Amino acid sequence: MEVSSLAGRLTEEIPGELARREIPGLAIGICSAGEVLWSAGFGTTQRRDGSDVTTSTIFSVQSTSKMYTATAVLLAVQQSGLDLDEPVTTYLPEFEVSSAFEPRPAERMTLRHLLSHTAGFTHEAPAGSNYRIGRGSFEAHCQSIAGTWLRFPVGHHFEYSNLGIDLAGYIVQRVTGVPFARYVRRELLEPLGLQRSTFDPRAIAADRNRARGHWKVFAAARRPLPLKIPMVAAGGLYASVQDALRYVQFHLRGGEQLLDPALLGEQYRIPFPAPGQSRGYGLGVYLDQWDPGVGVRQHGGAGFGFLCQLCWIPELGLGAVVLTNSFGHMLHNELAARIVRELATSAGRVAGRPPAGPGDDGAAAPAPAGDGELAGPADASAAGEYIGRLGDCAEVVAGPGRLRVRGAGPGRYRVLPPAGGSAGYLQNLADGTTRYKNDPGATPASALDPDRAGTYVLKASGVTLETYRIFQDGDSPVIEMPDDNEEPGGRRLRLRLAPLAPGRYLSSMGEVLDLRPDRPVYANMQLTRVRDEGR
């Protein structure tokens, strides 16, 4: 099947999908290494009084920014003497971070850890986050990372986080003496001719052909979505579909003599893989498989009213980009998966079976039903509930003569032993994703101060997004929260809490709950007690 045939069908179908899903605008394109094969804009830059989306309209690409940032860091390795495996304290001597698992973790943490989400960081920082933007700068945001607690030992496993990527960008800024946005402009965007791509919030705000993000909960509350965010390196890029396709071509062309192919290859290598791991996160890019036999390199982005997907098939030398300016749908992923499936099927690479497809921020989609098996020895103590990053739960249960894994999909898994305050982990050997054991038996008995028990809400820009309950459950306190994979009012997760320090607790997922007076915070997200909301 030719690209023109697929483009024709998509051109007919997309306007109806935008209307059905209430998406104001979308830009989409397909490219080979040598040319843009098709690109188009649909809808408008904003719901009311918007202009037509064109292939030059810039959209926020959110976490897809991480791929560009990783490339920029590799350019700094090539040009400024940075070393991927040197401790970050070499470049930031003052940097330190707290850990319940090991002393002086910053001295073991490297740029490779930061770019591959294996440093142990939580997702948000005290200053500048997805839930509390504030007026702070990129520098203040990065400096506040020193006030966080790690979720697991450095290098132990992969866990998606904004903080490592932002810290890597900050190191580039410190070492080169050039503001991060300007460095990326000078060393990556301008050499590739990407005039419609920028990390500079001033340039973004001044751009007349800019898509505005849309999120129904903010619209209902009549609250504007923020434009300037402090998480610059991790999520601050705006780009047009034409520019994003040109960046895909940079990868399809092996670095174009701008970046040494061996260094570019570091982006496609999974650091610290599990035994036999074939999929997972390299340096700022997912190495994925959306259909048996179809290897895809990709990254998605989600947040502040935008959703997008950028991907390419190295074997076929083809890539695709989908950008949208609304939240709460999966059209970007559906279109990207369809393009990959049809192009690969046309090339005779697969039998046309439905692809696994991308998930939030480009993460792997939910696994199909079926039990998995444990690789290696594991005794009865491994049995129990294990919870993943987005609330996806699995259970290790006793089967006929052996332990089985339920709820995580078929495949091979291993149980990793406890580390410090953790109860243990369950790791998928195919892609390295790891769940945390939520085991009451492994949580030390402790008593929650009754004055701190109650219902709390998480807000973003004054809009309530989630509700938490903190209470005593038997011998230990718990924090109860929504399951990100469930609809509102559905299943809720109940995480065990272990005492960490006076007024502070470590959840079974490695996050810190701070209940000291006047500062209820979970995972660096400010909580508001319901009874105090009127104050």
Side-chain angles (χ1 to χ4, degrees):
M1 180 197 65
E2 296 182 357
V3 169
S4 59
S5 175
L6 172 60
R9 292 199 303 277
L10 292 176
T11 298
E12 292 179 359
E13 297 169 13
I14 286 174
E17 288 297 322
L18 297 187
R20 184 171 70 85
R21 307 189 198 207
E22 300 181 334
I23 301 170
L26 178 147
I28 186 171
I30 302 172
C31 70
S32 66
E35 61 180 321
V36 173
L37 302 173
W38 172 64
S39 63
F42 298 88
T44 57
T45 55
Q46 60 184 357
R47 195 174 304 282
R48 295 181 180 177
D49 302 321
S51 56
D52 290 343
V53 170
T54 71
T55 57
S56 295
T57 301
I58 62 172
F59 288 73
S60 171
V61 302
Q62 292 296 306
S63 286
T64 305
S65 307
K66 295 176 172 68
M67 191 186 296
Y68 291 72
T69 292
T71 302
V73 171
L74 291 173
L75 284 167
V77 169
Q78 177 175 277
Q79 298 166 359
S80 302
L82 289 177
D83 190 320
L84 288 173
D85 298 307
E86 189 73 15
V88 297
T89 50
T90 301
Y91 311 113
L92 302 175
E94 77 281 8
F95 180 72
E96 57 184 22
V97 65
S98 298
S99 175
F101 311 103
E102 57 190 325
R104 298 183 296 278
E107 297 177 7
R108 295 188 53 234
M109 198 179 289
T110 67
L111 273 172
R112 194 181 301 276
H113 289 120
L114 301 185
L115 294 174
S116 62
H117 304 295
T118 56
F121 286 120
T122 184
H123 194 56
E124 308 289 355
S129 73
N130 284 286
Y131 302 96
R132 196 172 189 181
I133 298 301
R135 299 181 181 274
S137 64
F138 174 59
E139 294 81 2
H141 163 70
C142 291
Q143 290 164 4
S144 78
I145 295 173
T148 67
W149 287 75
L150 297 187
R151 295 184 61 184
F152 51 86
V154 174
H156 189 271
H157 64 268
F158 161 85
E159 188 67 57
Y160 192 83
S161 167
N162 279 337
L163 303 192
I165 303 292
D166 278 332
L167 197 61
Y170 183 58
I171 287 172
V172 169
Q173 179 170 299
R174 284 280 295 269
V175 169
T176 64
V178 180
F180 176 75
R182 189 183 304 166
Y183 179 86
V184 180
R185 159 64 56 194
R186 186 185 73 188
E187 303 299 336
L188 177 62
L189 304 181
E190 287 184 353
L192 294 182
L194 305 184
Q195 297 302 314
R196 301 293 294 152
S197 303
T198 182
F199 280 94
D200 184 347
R202 291 173 298 180
I204 294 166
D207 199 303
R208 294 186 177 182
N209 191 10
R210 166 173 61 87
R212 270 66 168 179
H214 296 76
W215 191 357
K216 289 181 179 179
V217 294
F218 274 74
R222 297 185 178 181
R223 294 274 187 164
L225 284 161
L227 173 65
K228 181 181 178 181
I229 61 173
M231 302 81 72
V232 176
L237 179 72
Y238 273 65
S240 70
V241 69
Q242 289 290 109
D243 271 17
L245 290 167
R246 178 68 183 89
Y247 175 72
V248 170
Q249 289 177 327
F250 161 79
H251 284 275
L252 291 174
R253 296 172 185 176
E256 298 189 43
Q257 300 181 351
L258 177 64
L259 181 61
D260 184 277
L263 273 176
L264 181 61
E266 293 291 338
Q267 279 204 258
Y268 315 142
R269 187 164 68 87
I270 301 171
F272 325 110
Q277 182 177 344
S278 59
R279 296 178 283 120
Y281 204 90
L283 303 186
V285 59
Y286 282 96
L287 314 179
D288 217 339
Q289 189 178 72
W290 288 1
D291 204 332
V294 183
V296 177
R297 292 172 181 166
Q298 54 96 355
H299 210 301
F304 299 109
F306 292 92
L307 289 165
C308 76
Q309 178 59 230
L310 182 155
C311 62
W312 68 95
I313 311 169
E315 182 183 4
L316 300 182
L318 297 170
V321 174
V322 184
L323 309 175
T324 77
N325 62 344
S326 73
F327 208 60
H329 64 85
M330 293 295 286
L331 182 60
H332 59 304
N333 284 338
E334 293 167 13
L335 290 172
R338 177 178 173 183
I339 290 170
V340 167
R341 180 177 71 249
E342 296 201 22
L343 293 178
T345 302
S346 177
R349 299 303 185 188
V350 296
R353 286 169 288 184
D360 291 341
D361 280 344
D371 287 356
E373 63 181 35
L374 289 178
D379 58 30
S381 65
E385 180 184 54
Y386 294 80
I387 302 177
R389 168 177 169 249
L390 298 178
D392 46 309
C393 296
E395 188 177 9
V396 174
V397 297
R402 64 185 188 274
L403 296 173
R404 303 289 293 174
V405 180
R406 291 181 180 170
R412 299 173 71 246
Y413 300 81
R414 67 172 174 176
V415 173
L416 300 176
S422 168
Y425 311 86
L426 178 70
Q427 187 174 51
N428 186 325
L429 295 182
D431 61 15
T433 55
T434 302
R435 293 174 170 86
Y436 300 73
K437 192 173 187 183
N438 191 33
D439 185 1
T443 305
S446 61
L448 176 70
D449 182 347
D451 290 339
R452 309 307 294 168
T455 300
Y456 297 78
V457 294
L458 172 64
K459 297 183 177 183
S461 300
V463 177
T464 297
L465 299 179
E466 296 178 352
T467 301
Y468 294 76
R469 290 181 59 229
I470 299 169
F471 57 94
Q472 188 76 21
D473 182 27
D475 291 336
S476 69
V478 297
I479 181 168
E480 186 181 79
M481 65 190 71
D483 179 346
D484 286 348
N485 290 320
E486 297 288 338
E487 296 296 326
R491 181 180 182 276
R492 294 177 63 82
L493 302 175
R494 184 173 294 185
L495 304 180
R496 319 302 299 188
L497 297 171
L500 180 63
R504 283 177 287 184
Y505 299 84
L506 189 70
S507 83
S508 51
M509 292 189 68
E511 301 283 16
V512 171
L513 172 67
D514 191 336
L515 288 179
R516 287 177 293 177
D518 302 323
R519 53 170 307 183
V521 172
Y522 180 67
N524 296 314
M525 300 180 297
Q526 188 77 46
L527 302 179
T528 301
R529 197 164 186 177
V530 170
R531 73 182 187 191
D532 298 335
E533 280 193 277
R535 292 185 181 180

